[in-house]
């Protein structure tokens, strides 16, 4: 028998902080580019189409010494039971012995790693000195995106928030985001520490709910989209030169957040080329011939490792299509386990 | 958050008993035949060929209300660390909500469900009144096979044990098997209960270690093979009419325990047709043309459900090729969780 650590939602919230997660996710992308991170084939099953499904994403991170899986299920019938529709669980295993190391609730760590992904796209592709961030989508994921982007970028002064569906929600999101950032993200650092001071300063920006998406796009340097949209929300005509997009929402065939014509004007990076073309924001543009698969510059890890060039000029439009890969979950889960061990958090059970 | 139950090796040993596992595995095969049990695609990864690998087997059991997975890893380097080479973990999820129900050490339940499989093949295909059982292989799995077969069959009087590699081991196996059956299997029933009396009677047979495999085959009604062999141990010439085989060992391409020519004389059933032809005892006979894939009579579940006929005469040779499917693990894991809940065994953690 051997001990495994189990972390529930609250415990993962307690042990993870965004600065480290951003570094970890950059490292994941780099490992994948170096061949030290590998994805295994996806298992997907629809119990009833449009009603309930589940997938198992798995892979290995050689340099982190782990392999494992995330199982995510979606049961629409949970709504009437007052339960979350999505349930996610991550299992981490030791790559030198095959022994399980831990079992974690995936909800918060998925939020963290996805926020980090959008921010890393912006960090490596947006114009230096970018001041205006547009957050498209004011749902659960938007908080993570805003937190991570403010931490990863140095010069943001204003965050506009737009949501195609929920205008009231957008206003309330903009009104409460600062206190959420303080309570859920800044609070992870010791007051007075350098991290605390840096992050506090970065969170000190203006937030505005907007209803005029055209004007917001025209006035933004960095645009992050995190919606469940199946039709473009951002039109090609509104997009000025120099804009960066981190497209987060598309993770299933048929989803699309931005006008496919933008792709023919842009330098495009993805997290995983196969997944991006199959189910990501790249799917529709590739199918419609707006961009050839071969014209995608590369995976973001290639950029981080220096084997591909990102932005070439201030006038480039850049896109990072993040579909989300299991390696992100495994890395952040492993970080949570290590941090929990140090802090003696979670349940340790002999398996 | 929601509670999940965690059962380690010892706890799964405590809560499972073979009579119920046999019934459960019969029900699993029947569910699969009815379309109420489905296998998802296998994920397999070799970290280093011949040194370390892992697989994820998953599926659903509609009528049991569960889905889930088993992850099994094999790390040869564990030997020098004094750790088991194989590590298995099962996760069970609720098919109505997607919530995890439990996490279990897979070792004992894999032994139990595999033993039940071999016995079910014999129960449904061997001649009624079969008295002589030959166990080929005296390893870890042999105990489970013997226990399950004695429980599932009504007239066994003698169990011969042969092992192609380990002749000393065979003698010691035959010497201690009765006390192992008493200690690990009979002890699950209350002394004085009907189950106890029935099982005690069934375990009261003669055990003999044999070195002459030819003579043993010639004198056996039921032959169970559970070895890691890559070459036939049982020759076609030795096999008399009426013999039943439950072939358990072959679960990877290239493995083979019995002469492929036996297949051209036999009525053949499998647990899963695709898996049996790809990695089971059927692989070589199909590849060598001894039997066409279409000549395999069916899956064992079809026989249990009555949609296919098993043995047609006392002279038929019958074969059940059991490769092992995730649905067996899920069913037994679910049984262990329910039994553990009743008995308040295991750790319950909020996930």
């Amino acid at each position: 028998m051997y001990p495994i650590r189990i972390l529930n939602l609250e415990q993962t919230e307690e042990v993870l902080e965004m600065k480290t997660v951003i570094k970890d996710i950059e490292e994941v992308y780099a490992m994948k580019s170096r061949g030290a991170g590998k994805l295994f084939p996806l298992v997907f099953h629809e119990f009833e189409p449009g009603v309930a499904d589940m997938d198992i994403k798995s892979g290995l991170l050689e340099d982190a010494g782990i392999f494992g899986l995330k199982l995510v299920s979606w049961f629409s019938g949970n709504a009437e039971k007052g339960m979350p529709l999505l349930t996610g669980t991550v299992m981490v295993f030791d790559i030198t012995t095959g022994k399980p190391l831990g079992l974690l609730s995936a909800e918060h760590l998925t939020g963290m790693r996805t926020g980090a992904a959008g921010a890393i796209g912006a960090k490596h592709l947006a114009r230096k000195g970018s001041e205006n961030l547009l957050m498209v989508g004011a749902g659960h994921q938007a908080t993570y995106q805003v937190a991570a982007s403010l931490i990863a970028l140095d010069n943001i002064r204003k965050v506009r928030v737009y949501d195609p569906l929920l205008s009231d929600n957008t206003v309330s999101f903009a009104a409460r985001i600062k206190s959420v950032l303080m309570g859920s993200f800044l609070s992870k650092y010791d007051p007075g520490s350098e991290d605390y001071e840096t992050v506090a300063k970065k969170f000190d920006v203006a937030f505005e709910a907007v209803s005029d998406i055209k004007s917001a796009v025209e006035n933004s340097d960095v645009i992050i989209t995190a919606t469940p949209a199946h039709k473009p929300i951002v039109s090609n005509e509104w997009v000025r030169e120099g804009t960066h997009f981190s497209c987060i929402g598309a993770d299933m065939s048929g989803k699309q957040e931005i006008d496919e014509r933008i792709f023919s004007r842009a330098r495009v990076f993805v997290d995983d080329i196969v997944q991006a073309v199959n189910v990501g924001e790249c799917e529709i543009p590739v199918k419609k011939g707006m961009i050839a698969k071969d014209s995608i510059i590369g995976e973001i890890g290639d950029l981080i490792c220096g084997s591909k060039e990102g932005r070439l000029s201030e006038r480039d439009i850049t896109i990072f299509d993040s579909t989300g890969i299991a390696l992100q979950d495994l890395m952040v889960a492993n970080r949570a386990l290590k941090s929990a061990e140090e802090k003696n958090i979670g349940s340790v059970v002999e398996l």
Side-chain angles (χ1 to χ4, degrees), chain A residues 47-350:
Chain A
F47 298 99
E48 194 180 336
V51 176
D53 61 44
M54 71 105 230
D55 62 57
I56 304 169
K57 289 177 174 162
S58 54
L60 68 84
L61 284 169
E62 218 165 87
D63 296 356
I66 55 169
F67 69 100
L69 62 88
K70 175 163 90 165
L71 189 150
V72 174
S73 65
W74 176 79
F75 280 74
S76 60
N78 284 1
E80 62 194 34
K81 297 169 191 158
M83 294 165 68
L85 276 54
L86 281 170
T87 310
T89 316
V90 177
M91 279 204 75
V92 181
F93 296 81
D94 184 326
I95 208 169
T96 61
T97 64
K99 299 279 171 273
L101 297 170
L103 174 75
L104 304 90
S105 162
E107 189 185 336
H108 179 62
L109 65 86
T110 302
M112 292 291 279
R113 63 82 153 160
T114 307
I120 289 166
K123 177 183 164 187
H124 289 275
L125 287 167
R127 278 180 288 112
K128 303 301 160 208
S130 289
E131 293 185 354
N132 290 285
L133 171 65
L134 170 60
M135 183 68 230
V136 180
H140 182 64
Q141 179 51 223
T143 309
Y144 291 104
Q145 293 295 332
V146 170
S149 298
L150 292 179
I151 290 174
L153 303 176
D154 289 329
N155 299 290
I156 298 297
R157 289 162 165 249
K158 182 162 192 173
V159 179
R160 291 179 177 83
V161 184
Y162 172 84
D163 195 293
L165 294 174
L166 312 158
S167 59
D168 283 356
N169 201 36
T170 315
V171 172
S172 77
F173 180 90
R176 70 185 150 67
I177 177 70
K178 195 168 255 169
S179 70
V180 173
L181 292 177
M182 299 297 171
S184 301
F185 295 88
L186 182 61
S187 62
K188 302 301 168 201
Y189 309 102
D190 289 331
S193 69
E194 198 185 325
D195 282 342
Y196 185 94
E197 296 304 326
T198 316
V199 172
K201 207 170 156 190
K202 289 188 164 199
F203 283 175
D204 186 23
V205 300
F207 295 95
E208 185 190 354
V210 298
S211 54
D212 181 353
I213 174 76
K214 174 173 181 290
S215 157
V217 169
E218 287 169 350
N219 287 291
S220 293
D221 307 302
V222 175
I223 300 175
I224 300 182
T225 58
T227 71
H230 284 71
K231 282 182 187 167
I233 300 161
V234 176
S235 284
N236 181 42
E237 290 73 23
W238 310 336
V239 179
R240 64 177 187 187
E241 290 184 338
T243 306
H244 169 75
F245 289 90
S246 285
C247 299
I248 305 300
D251 60 352
M252 276 177 60
S253 181
K255 284 192 178 177
Q256 185 181 15
E257 298 185 288
I258 69 173
D259 194 326
E260 62 269 16
R261 290 172 296 169
I262 303 169
F263 279 78
S264 61
R265 299 165 61 191
R267 286 181 70 78
V268 180
F269 285 82
V270 300
D271 53 2
D272 178 73
I273 193 90
V274 175
Q275 201 163 291
V277 170
N278 286 335
V279 301
E281 189 68 28
C282 286
E283 183 202 3
I284 312 278
V286 168
K287 282 190 176 156
K288 291 196 175 173
M290 295 296 154
I291 184 171
K293 188 180 164 190
D294 292 347
S295 301
I296 294 169
I297 309 289
E299 294 187 351
I300 191 91
D302 305 335
L303 175 57
I304 292 168
C305 289
S307 68
K308 293 282 167 66
E309 279 189 293
R311 170 176 292 280
L312 302 179
S313 85
E314 294 291 291
R315 296 177 59 184
D316 281 337
I317 293 171
T318 52
I319 298 175
F320 173 47
D321 177 6
S322 163
T323 56
I325 54 179
L327 307 183
Q328 295 170 274
D329 300 301
L330 294 177
M331 187 75 164
V332 178
N334 198 40
R335 171 68 62 189
L337 289 171
K338 283 183 180 167
S339 170
E341 190 177 356
E342 278 169 24
K343 296 174 178 167
N344 200 21
I345 286 172
S347 311
V348 176
V349 174
E350 287 289 320

Side-chain angles (χ1 to χ4, degrees), chain A residues 14-26:
Chain A
E14 203 172 336
V15 296
L16 290 171
E17 48 84 12
M18 189 58 96
K19 274 188 72 135
T20 303
V21 169
I22 292 170
K23 274 187 211 151
D24 282 345
I25 297 300
E26 275 182 319

